[in-house]
Amino acid sequence: MLKALASGVLILGMWPAAGVLVGALARGPALSVGLGLVWVLVVENLLRGVAAVLDPVSVVTDVLPGTAAGSLAGSLRDFGGDTTPGVLNILDGGTSVLLLAGYVAAFALGTVWLVRRRDVN
């Protein structure tokens, strides 16, 4: 139960950190929300589709934020049957945790750097 809770916190911490970075980059709420939704719902899925045809693209798609989050959720699965859409088995749990922690750190540091460089005199 604790492992599932910690995984949920990590997954749910990565997406807002990405959103804050996109918000700092775009400086407008409509563009920020639009870019975030397009990335999550369109870009990552298109890249996965292209990766099914072109093997070199799979190297990139295997480390995208959605893949890492879906793989961490998939690593918690302990029963058989059909899988849930969006829950992947591409990365193992440990790799997913490290990748998600790296994304959280990169998004947070990128946001702090951008705001300090652009907005603080």
Side-chain angles (χ1 to χ4, degrees):
M1 181 71 171
L2 186 60
K3 183 178 176 182
L5 182 62
S7 297
V9 167
L10 187 58
I11 292 169
L12 292 174
M14 187 265 308
W15 289 117
V20 170
L21 178 60
V22 172
L25 285 169
R27 289 189 172 199
L31 182 60
S32 300
V33 170
L35 288 175
L37 288 173
V38 166
W39 176 263
V40 170
L41 297 175
V42 178
V43 173
E44 283 200 21
N45 289 321
L46 283 176
L47 286 173
R48 279 192 207 100
V50 170
V53 178
L54 300 172
D55 286 334
V57 178
S58 67
V59 173
V60 174
T61 60
D62 287 352
V63 295
L64 290 175
T67 303
S71 294
L72 182 55
S75 72
L76 299 173
R77 189 167 187 246
D78 61 356
F79 58 90
D82 294 333
T83 60
T84 304
V87 176
L88 308 171
N89 294 325
I90 295 171
L91 303 171
D92 64 351
T95 304
S96 298
V97 166
L98 291 175
L99 199 53
L100 286 172
Y103 275 123
V104 169
F107 293 152
L109 291 173
T111 302
V112 168
W113 175 80
L114 180 65
V115 169
R116 292 195 72 176
R117 183 171 183 260
R118 187 173 61 191
D119 297 337
V120 176
N121 290 328

